[in-house]
């Protein structure tokens, strides 16, 4: 192993990562601009007040046209392959506010098998399946823009159910995921108003005012639901279309959109992932990080100190950002707990105890860990996730000896449940498939390499014999999935990615008995990218809500640095 080259890369990436801290001292990263976010944002502003927001609409439309491919298609990010969703939303937006390229219509006609209402509705619904979280808002926007001329084929969302207590939602088998209640309300009300009246219409009408009051309570102070331009725009365009243009929710949403637009006229998929990328940076930098006291205080301050109105989650968790639209989730809570352990050397605090309790309360009955809400297992993005489960297990393992006795006992019980679930769902080839990361080059767009690498890295710290067995199975899968060039893609024989190679290398270097030759080949791939100046090229491996792809500039820095630090330790 070429120690000199490892040290060279560590020094350079450390320097660059430290320089990327924002003016307020943390890392905010840089999410890719999004055709989906931009198309729905400019149409929402067009619906709300086309004259007032004309400069934003014009500039956003210009960005969409400029970034389209020659065949008129779009991907979720500029680097992403073209897909139906991004292209359809861009087409619908331009259909309303500008003139869409003829090539875009041709592309969609080929992808959907035609351009009739039936072709579009069936094409969208079949792509997203039973999960209506994104498919119905897409179809509603198509109807508002005039791309679809009839509303009767668009499914109705049961907005009335939003008035029930949050604790009942997981039992109702709603057709949308746990984080999409604002869309359930706004899209549902608009679809109801555009539909035919029946004997239940007066009953449904009586729920509109109550549902809108729920929507107001769910909206953050600055107007942006989940810090997400797509969700905020879908809600506001539907509110406007339903006759609530002047409603406080609509106007606050419009202000959020104009405050988060980029200078080139585009919107990212979310404002930022500041808490997440800060945790990743702390873990990657380790002892090379100064200002530890600053980060300890900042992370503790970012823990939610109240029951969150959006998901009903108790206090103690962390979200992906320190901005008002973020909500607590298991991955970011685990990440914050791991970062605090790195920063404090394992010194217990009240925030640590509450964070552990928050995770324990979230754990599903099946033993696995979901992202946001317990028990919402009907739709994929609400189910237990292997990489998140393993991340929670790592947080428990790191902190359990420092916890009060009663909490320590609960942690050990939870660890047994997590490992039992991971054993049950591990594939016969040793892999696990994650929820929130993928690979667009893979046939099914999944990334078992990412899910397995994260699980193996996290499991490697466990003292439990079952964890060791699971990790060994996962390692075999990773070794079998390595490409000829030494790198890894999201699955066997898929083109190598810098980010995924770094994750796989971290996993191998975390495990004492892993193959040194495979690690050398993985490092050679990364070093080749480093020498050629390609190490930090954007790679859209992140999966946002409802299968929207994004890249984050700090993933390359933090993933690679984490891998190199582990590799250096292994060489020693």
């Amino acid at each position: 192993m070429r120690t000199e080259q490892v040290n060279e890369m560590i020094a350079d990436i450390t320097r660059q990562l430290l320089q990327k801290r924002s003016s307020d001292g943390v890392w905010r990263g840089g999410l890719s601009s999004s055709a989906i976010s931009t198309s729905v944002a400019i149409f929402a502003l067009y619906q709300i007040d086309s004259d007032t927001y004309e400069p934003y609409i014009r500039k956003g439309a210009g960005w969409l046209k400029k970034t389209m491919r020659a065949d008129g298609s779009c991907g979720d990010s500029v680097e992403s392959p073209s897909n139906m969703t991004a292209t359809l939303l861009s087409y619908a937006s331009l259909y309303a506010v500008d003139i869409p390229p003829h090539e875009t219509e041709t592309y969609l006609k080929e992808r959907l098998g035609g351009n009739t209402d039936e072709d579009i509705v069936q094409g969208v619904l079949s792509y997203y399946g039973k999960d209506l979280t994104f498919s119905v808002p897409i179809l509603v926007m198509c109807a508002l823009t005039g791309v679809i001329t009839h509303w009767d084929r668009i499914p109705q969302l049961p907005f009335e159910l939003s008035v029930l207590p949050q604790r009942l939602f997981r039992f109702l088998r709603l057709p949308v995921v746990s984080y999409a209640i604002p869309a359930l309300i706004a899209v549902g009300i608009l679809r109801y108003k555009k539909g035919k009246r029946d004997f239940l219409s007066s009953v449904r009408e009586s729920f509109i005012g109550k549902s809108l009051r729920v929507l107001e309570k769910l909206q953050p102070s600055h107007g942006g639901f989940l810090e997400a331009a797509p969700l905020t725009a879908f809600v506001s365009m539907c509110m406007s279309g339903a006759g609530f243009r002047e409603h406080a929710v609509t106007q606050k949403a419009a202000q959020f959109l104009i405050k988060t637009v980029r200078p080139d006229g585009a919107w990212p998929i979310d404002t930022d992932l500041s808490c997440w990328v800060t945790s990743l940076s702390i873990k990657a930098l380790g002892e090379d990080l100064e200002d530890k006291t600053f980060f300890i205080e900042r992370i503790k301050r970012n823990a939610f100190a109240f029951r969150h109105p959006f998901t009903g989650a108790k206090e103690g968790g962390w979200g992906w950002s320190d901005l008002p639209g973020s909500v607590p989730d298991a991955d970011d809570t685990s990440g914050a707990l791991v970062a605090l352990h790195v920063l404090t050397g394992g010194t217990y605090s009240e925030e640590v105890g509450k964070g552990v309790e928050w995770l324990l309360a979230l754990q599903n009955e099946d033993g696995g860990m979901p992202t946001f809400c317990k028990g919402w297992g009907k739709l994929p993005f609400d189910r237990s996730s292997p990489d998140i489960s393993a991340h929670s297990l790592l947080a428990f393992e790191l902190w359990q000896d420092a916890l009060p006795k009663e909490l320590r006992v609960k942690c050990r019980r939870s660890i047994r449940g997590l490992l039992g679930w991971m054993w049950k769902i591990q594939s016969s080839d040793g892999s696990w498939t994650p929820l929130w990361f993928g690979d667009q080059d893979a046939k099914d767009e999944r990334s078992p390499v990412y899910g397995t690498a994260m699980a193996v890295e996290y499991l490697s710290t466990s003292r439990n014999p079952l964890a060791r067995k699971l990790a060994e199975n996962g390692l075999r899968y990773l070794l079998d999935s390595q490409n000829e060039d030494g790198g890894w893609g999201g699955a066997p024989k898929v083109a190598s990615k810098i980010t995924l190679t770094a994750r796989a290398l971290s996993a191998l270097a975390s495990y004492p008995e892993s193959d040194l030759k495979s690690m050398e080949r993985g490092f050679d791939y990364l070093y080749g990218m480093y020498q050629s100046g390609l190490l930090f090229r954007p790679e859209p491996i992140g999966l946002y809500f409802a299968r929207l792809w994004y890249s984050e500039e700090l993933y390359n820095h933090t993933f690679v640095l984490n891998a190199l630090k582990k590799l250096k330790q292994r060489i020693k």
Side-chain angles (χ1 to χ4, degrees):
M1 185 70 71
R2 294 181 287 279
T3 308
E4 254 183 65
Q5 294 169 330
V6 173
N7 289 335
E8 173 195 356
M9 287 184 70
I10 288 174
D12 191 17
I13 298 170
T14 296
R15 177 184 56 79
Q16 292 191 50
L17 184 56
L18 289 171
Q19 288 175 348
K20 288 186 174 292
R21 286 173 67 178
S22 64
S23 57
D24 62 351
V26 299
W27 284 270
R28 296 204 170 271
L31 288 163
S32 52
S33 292
S34 163
I36 287 174
S37 293
T38 303
S39 58
V40 297
I42 63 173
F43 179 65
L45 294 174
Y46 177 83
Q47 277 279 98
I48 297 166
D49 191 334
S50 59
D51 292 333
T52 299
Y53 301 122
E54 191 273 338
Y56 301 98
I57 297 165
R58 176 168 34 84
K59 202 166 187 180
W63 184 87
L64 286 174
K65 284 185 166 182
K66 185 175 70 175
T67 55
M68 277 181 167
R69 274 92 195 214
D71 64 356
S73 65
C74 303
D76 290 359
S77 69
V78 175
E79 311 85 19
S80 298
S82 299
N83 65 62
M84 177 271 294
T85 301
T87 306
L88 178 59
L89 288 172
S90 297
Y91 176 78
S93 185
L94 292 173
Y95 187 87
V97 310
D98 200 299
I99 301 173
H102 174 71
E103 293 83 357
T104 308
E105 184 177 357
T106 303
Y107 174 90
L108 289 170
K109 195 172 182 179
E110 291 173 355
R111 289 296 300 269
L112 296 169
N115 59 1
T116 66
D117 285 7
E118 182 71 15
D119 294 326
I120 296 170
V121 171
Q122 284 306 311
V124 172
L125 291 178
S126 63
Y127 179 74
Y128 288 99
K130 294 180 181 179
D131 187 351
L132 303 184
T133 304
F134 201 41
S135 57
V136 172
I138 290 170
L139 294 173
V140 163
M141 177 170 158
C142 287
L144 286 171
T145 60
V147 172
I148 290 176
T149 55
H150 297 89
W151 288 81
D152 58 323
R153 293 305 307 273
I154 302 174
Q156 171 70 60
L157 297 181
F159 66 89
E160 309 92 328
L161 297 181
S162 66
V163 305
L164 295 173
Q166 282 179 321
R167 66 181 182 274
L168 299 181
F169 286 176
R170 63 189 177 117
F171 302 112
L172 298 176
R173 301 186 68 78
L174 297 176
V176 298
V177 288
S178 57
Y179 45 80
I181 300 302
L184 179 85
I185 296 170
V187 177
I189 290 173
L190 173 63
R191 174 63 184 84
Y192 159 73
K193 283 180 169 285
K194 296 293 185 179
K196 295 177 181 178
R197 296 294 181 266
D198 57 28
F199 69 98
L200 289 175
S201 294
S202 59
V203 177
R204 304 196 78 190
E205 192 81 32
S206 69
F207 279 96
I208 291 177
K210 297 174 185 176
S211 297
L212 289 178
R213 286 193 288 276
V214 173
L215 185 61
E216 284 188 84
K217 290 178 182 176
L218 294 177
Q219 189 175 35
S221 57
H222 68 340
F225 295 99
L226 297 180
E227 293 299 325
L231 178 57
T232 304
F234 279 130
V235 168
S236 56
M237 73 173 68
C238 290
M239 289 286 286
S240 183
F244 300 106
R245 183 175 282 110
E246 302 303 322
H247 195 282
V249 167
T250 313
Q251 293 302 312
K252 285 169 70 176
Q255 290 306 301
F256 170 80
L257 292 174
I258 63 173
K259 285 177 182 176
T260 53
V261 66
R262 290 177 165 170
D264 63 359
W267 277 263
I269 207 76
D270 204 272
T271 311
D272 68 40
L273 306 180
S274 57
C275 290
W276 177 239
V277 295
T278 295
S279 292
L280 290 174
S281 299
I282 290 168
K283 185 171 179 245
L285 287 164
E287 292 304 315
D288 292 325
L289 182 66
E290 299 177 355
D291 303 336
K292 289 186 179 180
T293 302
F294 164 80
F295 285 107
I296 292 168
E297 292 173 356
R298 188 64 178 255
I299 292 173
K300 287 180 177 180
R301 192 175 79 197
N302 287 338
F304 284 95
F306 54 88
R307 181 174 290 276
H308 203 283
F310 205 98
T311 59
K314 61 182 285 188
E315 66 176 69
W318 280 266
W320 61 88
S321 176
D322 58 3
L323 298 172
S326 179
V327 302
D329 68 88
D331 219 11
D332 287 289
T333 299
S334 298
L337 289 170
V338 172
L340 283 173
H341 196 274
V342 170
L343 293 166
T344 67
T347 302
Y348 179 78
S349 64
E350 182 184 1
E351 290 81 5
V352 168
K354 286 186 175 181
V356 169
E357 287 177 345
W358 191 89
L359 284 173
L360 290 169
L362 188 68
Q363 189 170 11
N364 274 330
E365 296 296 329
D366 62 13
M369 195 68 72
T371 308
F372 296 106
C373 296
K374 180 175 182 173
W376 286 58
K378 178 187 176 186
L379 302 175
F381 282 91
D382 275 323
R383 292 173 187 158
S384 299
S385 169
D387 52 318
I388 295 176
S389 297
H391 204 182
S392 302
L393 187 145
L394 172 64
F396 293 158
E397 288 274 2
L398 290 175
W399 282 108
Q400 65 174 331
D401 290 342
L403 298 174
K405 184 178 178 181
E406 185 178 345
L407 197 52
R408 188 163 64 244
V409 171
K410 290 180 181 178
C411 255
R412 288 172 179 165
R413 187 183 309 126
S414 173
I415 288 171
R416 289 195 297 271
L418 289 165
L419 288 172
W421 180 77
M422 293 192 70
W423 173 263
K424 280 190 293 184
I425 60 103
Q426 188 174 32
S427 297
S428 58
D429 61 6
S431 68
W432 290 278
T433 300
L435 276 182
W436 299 100
F437 289 85
D439 188 332
Q440 289 177 284
D441 290 331
K443 280 185 179 180
D444 57 3
E445 297 186 333
R446 299 184 185 278
S447 183
V449 163
Y450 180 92
T452 306
M454 298 312 302
V456 169
E457 180 180 343
Y458 296 150
L459 288 169
S460 67
T461 63
S462 178
R463 294 164 284 187
N464 190 296
L466 179 55
R468 185 178 182 85
K469 177 62 177 173
L470 292 170
E472 287 172 353
N473 293 341
L475 273 174
R476 281 197 296 273
Y477 172 80
L478 292 175
L479 293 172
D480 290 342
S481 302
Q482 191 171 21
N483 290 327
E484 290 295 323
D485 61 8
W488 281 265
K493 298 181 181 178
V494 174
S496 295
K497 310 284 187 302
I498 293 156
T499 44
L500 297 175
T501 299
R503 279 310 193 194
L505 185 56
S506 291
L508 266 63
S510 297
Y511 203 76
E513 287 80 27
S514 54
D515 181 57
L516 190 59
K517 196 166 188 63
S518 294
M519 287 189 279
E520 287 178 348
R521 292 175 59 219
F523 172 75
D524 287 343
Y525 172 84
L526 293 176
Y527 190 71
M529 291 296 176
Y530 174 69
Q531 284 188 307
S532 61
L534 298 174
L535 192 68
F536 304 118
R537 69 182 180 189
E539 292 182 342
I541 64 161
L543 267 176
Y544 201 65
F545 303 118
R547 293 180 70 182
L548 311 186
W549 296 88
Y550 71 88
S551 62
E552 161 56 58
E553 67 165 341
L554 289 185
Y555 281 172
N556 296 55
H557 291 78
T558 56
F559 290 9
V560 173
L561 184 58
N562 183 66
L564 294 174
K565 288 285 193 73
K566 287 182 176 293
L567 185 60
K568 182 178 179 179
Q569 190 66 34
R570 176 66 191 277
I571 294 170
K572 285 183 179 179

